[in-house]
Amino acid sequence: MQITNTQISDMETSKVYFTNLRTTPRSNLLDKMEKLVRKAGIESLPLQDNFVAVKIHFGEPGNLAYIRPNYAARMADLLRRQGARPFLTDSNTLYSGRRSNAVDHLESAMENGFNPISARCQVIIADGLKGTDCVEVPLDGEYCKAPKIGRAVMDADVVISMNHFKGHEQSGFGGALKNLGMGCASVAGKMELHSASQPRIAQENCIGCNICVKFCAHHAVHLGEERKAEIDYDRCVGCGQCVALCQYSAAVMGDEDTSERLNYKIAEYTLAIVKNKPHFHVSFIMNVSPECDCWNHNDAAIVPDLGILASFDPVALDKACADLVTQAPILPANNVLSEAHPHDEKCACDKFHLLHPDTDWLAGLTHAEKIGLGTMNYELIYT
């Protein structure tokens, strides 16, 4: 049976399948992932002779928290056995780095192990050489009228997301919605997502370290006469790289925008991708780093590795992952949460709000539910 977005929105409860990370000589983690997604119903998708976009984050070189390419290869094998034509994909980034154009992006992907040999399928950058190859999807959303999505994703017949579940400095956490809604947006789409997110500098906190100046792709930041960072808003596109990199709480989100609004837009972009397309989602709660895989480093994990989850409903999947991380203990030493909250290691607390107090991940899921993308009500099924 093919499960559509309409069917999901009509359900009172969505099914989310879970497997832990325990293994035996007869069942390694790749076997467990395949068993999980088959149990969750991936083979009911219309795969025969269809192009299947497997949306995954290739990781910025230097960051080691991204999903291992071995999982992508097993997914490609499974899809090909069902007669599909799978390919791995991601869109170019708005900020500076080694994934802002297709040439560098592909080199970065190959450096991190995502290539046609190791991944057993082709690797395609969804929005083309310079991030301009996109499709405007009529949506008439409350925040986004026509999301701009990488053409390779929209040309695919089926979309599967493979998500590394982790913290995020602007959205709270990164899961299925972030991987699709932000990750599949073209460069112009990412500019729309960030258009009201221009940061500001709390100059009393700035020490003039210059890291925001060095890494601003749009040359929008400079040091003023007192060696305090200043932003040229005629150049700033609101990508948030300075917010992510600042270690002194000097670069912060602007007063005119909120994390909620960004998450609303991400939800609408995700809906534009999947509303008329069969889709399926897998999330890995492993190496739960405090910030996104987009940076060329990853800080120590904040909670133990918990498991792999799968669902046809990306909203239920993100909520289930967030609940599991909430219930998990903080790892006891040498990570940003254990150092900042030494007495809260065993608390069932919102780890992502502790990490990024100005973010509100629940707002995004609430809006996603409102627009019919899925439901936060789920049944967790152990496999």
Side-chain angles (χ1 to χ4, degrees):
M1 177 184 71
Q2 176 183 331
I3 298 181
T4 66
N5 183 68
T6 302
Q7 288 173 297
I8 289 174
S9 63
D10 290 342
M11 296 177 183
E12 292 184 1
T13 302
S14 287
K15 293 181 178 180
V16 178
Y17 292 79
F18 172 85
T19 188
N20 63 32
L21 303 178
R22 298 296 304 274
T23 63
T24 70
R26 296 182 179 179
S27 180
N28 60 37
L29 288 177
L30 298 176
D31 296 332
K32 293 192 76 171
M33 185 202 74
E34 179 170 342
K35 179 182 177 182
L36 171 76
V37 299
R38 294 179 67 180
K39 184 73 173 178
I42 194 171
E43 292 167 311
S44 67
L45 292 167
L47 298 173
Q48 182 67 44
D49 297 325
N50 277 333
F51 293 102
V52 180
V54 180
K55 171 59 180 75
I56 196 166
H57 196 302
F58 299 129
E60 189 76 16
N63 187 305
L64 300 177
Y66 59 87
I67 299 170
R68 291 178 183 234
N70 311 66
Y71 292 108
R74 178 58 72 93
M75 177 65 76
D77 283 345
L78 170 61
L79 296 172
R80 195 177 294 104
R81 290 199 301 271
Q82 300 300 312
R85 296 186 177 94
F87 63 94
L88 303 186
T89 193
D90 197 3
S91 289
N92 291 308
T93 62
L94 180 60
Y95 52 81
S96 64
R98 292 182 54 191
R99 296 180 303 113
S100 60
N101 63 79
V103 173
D104 294 342
H105 203 159
L106 285 170
E107 287 181 355
S108 298
M110 292 182 187
E111 184 174 318
N112 283 344
F114 297 97
N115 59 67
I117 296 175
S118 63
R120 300 192 181 95
C121 65
Q122 293 298 319
V123 179
I124 299 173
I125 304 306
D127 58 345
L129 181 62
K130 297 182 179 180
T132 58
D133 190 11
C134 67
V135 176
E136 292 195 18
V137 181
L139 186 69
D140 197 27
E142 185 176 350
Y143 300 91
C144 303
K145 300 304 180 184
K148 303 167 184 66
I149 310 300
R151 184 175 299 276
V153 171
M154 296 312 301
D155 282 351
D157 303 298
V158 179
V159 171
I160 293 174
S161 69
M162 298 183 72
N163 320 295
H164 173 220
F165 197 78
K166 71 281 182 185
H168 192 275
E169 52 279 2
Q170 288 186 297
S171 60
F173 67 66
L177 268 61
K178 175 69 168 52
N179 186 32
L180 285 173
M182 182 69 78
C184 292
S186 67
V187 169
K190 289 181 172 70
M191 290 185 72
E192 179 181 29
L193 288 165
H194 288 293
S195 62
S197 299
Q198 288 180 314
R200 64 179 178 86
I201 303 297
Q203 293 206 347
E204 66 274 13
N205 296 333
C206 180
I207 68 165
C209 71
N210 209 48
I211 193 169
C212 56
V213 177
K214 179 180 178 180
F215 285 95
C216 180
H218 306 279
H219 307 292
V221 190
H222 63 275
L223 294 186
E225 292 182 1
E226 298 181 2
R227 288 197 60 79
K228 301 285 188 178
E230 297 177 354
I231 297 174
D232 179 351
Y233 289 105
D234 290 333
R235 293 176 176 268
C236 177
V237 300
C239 71
Q241 176 148 298
C242 56
V243 177
L245 290 173
C246 182
Q247 300 298 302
Y248 303 98
S249 299
V252 296
M253 291 186 69
D255 296 330
E256 71 279 2
D257 199 31
T258 63
S259 168
E260 291 91 337
R261 185 180 176 89
L262 175 64
N263 279 325
Y264 299 155
K265 291 182 178 182
I266 289 172
E268 292 187 2
Y269 261 65
T270 304
L271 179 60
I273 294 162
V274 304
K275 67 174 182 174
N276 294 317
K277 199 181 297 288
H279 53 96
F280 185 85
H281 313 275
V282 189
S283 287
F284 297 75
I285 310 181
M286 304 173 179
N287 295 317
V288 184
S289 50
E291 294 180 344
C292 186
D293 294 344
C294 293
W295 313 121
N296 62 356
H297 63 95
N298 58 283
D299 204 353
I302 57 172
V303 297
D305 292 351
L306 298 178
I308 310 172
L309 297 88
S311 180
F312 284 97
D313 184 340
V315 181
L317 181 62
D318 273 359
K319 185 60 164 63
C321 289
D323 287 346
L324 287 172
V325 172
T326 293
Q327 296 158 13
I330 298 172
L331 285 171
N334 300 320
N335 68 79
V336 65
L337 276 188
S338 65
E339 293 171 1
H341 303 276
H343 305 297
D344 295 331
E345 290 175 356
K346 295 183 180 180
C347 75
C349 51
D350 184 345
K351 313 298 190 297
F352 301 116
H353 186 70
L354 289 178
L355 283 170
H356 307 293
D358 294 331
T359 64
D360 184 357
W361 57 263
L362 186 59
L365 298 188
T366 301
H367 188 64
E369 193 173 54
K370 171 185 169 182
I371 62 178
L373 182 56
T375 176
M376 286 189 281
N377 297 321
Y378 64 89
E379 176 189 3
L380 196 61
I381 301 170
Y382 293 83
T383 63

